[in-house]
Amino acid sequence: MVGEAGVLMNKKYYIFLVGILAVHFLFLYVLRFTAWPEMLLWPYLMTKGWLPYANIAVAHNPLMLFNLSIFYWIFGTGILQLKIFTWALILSFDVLIFFAVKKLWNIKPAFFALISFAVWNLFYDGNGLWFDLYMGVFAFCSFYFVKQKKWLWAGIFWGLAFISKQTAIWFLLPVGYALAQESGLRIKSFQKLTTGVVLVAVPFVLILLSTGLFPSFWNWAVKFGIFTLPGAGGQIQLPDFKNFIVAALPFSVFLFVKQRSDFSSLILWSLAGALGAYPRFEFFHFQPAVAFLAIAAGLAFTSGVKAGGRGRPIKPLAIFYILGSVYL
């Protein structure tokens, strides 16, 4: 009987999971999809033999463009294909978050985190493919393996995040913080992390060298993309006060949660994911932070919302956060 009850409970949970995914997909389907021209043109040209950096001026790292060009080569190029690729990526991210949080914490915060991710993914203009969303998946995988203390895999996925977009460099801050918390095995963990990064970096550089693209890549993605473009005319776009407050509201979840190490690390991961919004402020640049905000919300509302050191629930703040989220 106990076994049957457990099976029924698991079945109920997975039906609920499929239901959340279906609702998220429904909103993605009916809300406006942003089809950035570069996400169609650049991979399409690559399927026709044009090379990034050498024939196409690209200021970003190439992993997403390479994968998208393969997808277009198989299924053709068009808005529908771009939507399918994007929505499959987002729903896969949903599943990753659910099972990662279930593994690291419990099934209840996993459901809350999944719902929160669906909300904030849409809020931060996530219904469209850009480098930040794609890079955020690999950054989240790196976070998962850091929490598991599997440093080799953490390094591999950070390396994949970096060759997706340069702003993955900010995630070295929470990774470094996690390494600093290691006791006794810090050097060995650092060696494993570095090995993972090298396992990605060496083949990547060798491919660039063998194709003759390394000089062009260095000029466009490094010299121009990192050191010139951020300060170029029209690139510095800071938010007004209203947009800043709106963008910052989801981060307020950290103001009224229990003091625990989980939230300390999640604050760092969230801030690292949000730093890509500077200097060109756009909501979709917050996408790498969304998963960590969602996890924080999931933990906060399943472990209790407490006031400072007094242990009294702050119901008005919790209600404000939920109503503010629904309104936005």
Side-chain angles (χ1 to χ4, degrees), residues 2-222:
V2 175
E4 290 179 2
V7 170
L8 289 174
M9 185 62 70
N10 286 334
K11 186 177 180 180
K12 177 182 176 182
Y13 282 147
Y14 287 115
I15 291 173
F16 191 29
L17 169 62
V18 172
I20 297 172
L21 294 176
V23 172
H24 192 184
F25 172 72
L26 178 63
F27 275 101
L28 290 168
Y29 182 79
V30 300
L31 295 178
R32 183 183 65 185
F33 180 86
T34 303
W36 298 101
E38 298 91 335
M39 298 298 97
L40 290 164
L41 180 60
W42 290 346
Y44 169 76
L45 292 175
M46 290 170 65
T47 65
K48 299 302 179 182
W50 291 45
L51 295 175
Y53 313 113
N55 306 125
I56 311 169
V58 180
H60 300 286
N61 284 349
L63 182 60
M64 184 188 72
L65 295 177
F66 176 74
N67 290 335
L68 192 53
S69 66
I70 294 176
F71 186 81
Y72 286 164
W73 180 72
I74 297 172
F75 298 104
T77 306
I79 298 292
L80 177 61
Q81 289 88 335
L82 178 60
K83 287 181 176 180
I84 292 171
F85 185 93
T86 305
W87 293 340
L89 178 68
I90 293 171
L91 294 177
S92 299
F93 207 171
D94 279 337
V95 174
L96 278 174
I97 290 168
F98 176 79
F99 284 104
V101 177
K102 180 176 177 289
K103 173 75 172 179
L104 295 173
W105 287 282
N106 207 335
I107 196 163
K108 287 186 178 180
F111 276 119
F112 273 88
L114 176 58
I115 294 169
S116 299
F117 176 79
V119 171
W120 297 126
N121 164 252
L122 295 168
F123 168 71
Y124 284 114
D125 290 343
N127 196 10
L129 183 65
W130 194 250
F131 296 90
D132 303 80
L133 174 64
Y134 189 84
M135 180 267 286
V137 177
F138 293 114
F140 177 77
C141 291
S142 182
F143 160 81
Y144 172 76
F145 287 113
V146 166
K147 295 293 289 185
Q148 294 278 73
K149 299 189 184 300
K150 296 180 179 179
W151 294 102
L152 178 67
W153 284 105
I156 289 173
F157 279 101
W158 181 86
L160 291 171
F162 185 76
I163 64 173
S164 301
K165 193 181 182 189
Q166 298 92 317
T167 50
I169 195 75
W170 295 119
F171 284 108
L172 289 181
L173 296 174
V175 171
Y177 174 80
L179 270 175
Q181 305 304 307
E182 287 278 89
S183 56
L185 300 174
R186 199 171 302 162
I187 295 177
K188 188 175 181 180
S189 299
F190 177 76
Q191 290 173 339
K192 289 183 178 179
L193 178 74
T194 306
T195 300
V197 175
V198 170
L199 287 175
V200 174
V202 169
F204 175 64
V205 172
L206 288 177
I207 291 171
L208 291 176
L209 289 171
S210 63
T211 55
L213 287 177
F214 187 81
S216 299
F217 166 80
W218 185 263
N219 285 330
W220 280 110
V222 179

Side-chain angles (χ1 to χ4, degrees), residues 227-261:
F227 298 107
T228 303
L229 185 61
Q235 286 298 311
I236 299 177
Q237 182 176 307
L238 301 180
D240 57 26
F241 181 74
K242 178 183 176 181
N243 280 326
F244 177 80
I245 293 299
V246 169
L249 177 62
F251 291 83
S252 65
V253 70
F254 293 110
L255 299 177
F256 54 93
V257 295
K258 288 180 178 179
Q259 296 300 313
R260 50 190 286 186
S261 59

Side-chain angles (χ1 to χ4, degrees), residues 228-309:
T228 303
L229 185 61
Q235 286 298 311
I236 299 177
Q237 182 176 307
L238 301 180
D240 57 26
F241 181 74
K242 178 183 176 181
N243 280 326
F244 177 80
I245 293 299
V246 169
L249 177 62
F251 291 83
S252 65
V253 70
F254 293 110
L255 299 177
F256 54 93
V257 295
K258 288 180 178 179
Q259 296 300 313
R260 50 190 286 186
S261 59
D262 291 331
F263 292 106
S264 299
S265 65
L266 284 170
I267 289 172
L268 284 176
W269 284 93
S270 299
L271 291 176
L275 285 173
Y278 178 83
R280 187 172 179 82
F281 180 88
E282 296 285 357
F283 272 48
F284 60 83
H285 287 314
F286 285 87
Q287 284 298 321
V290 171
F292 310 111
L293 292 174
I295 295 173
L299 293 176
F301 291 106
T302 54
S303 62
V305 182
K306 302 293 183 179

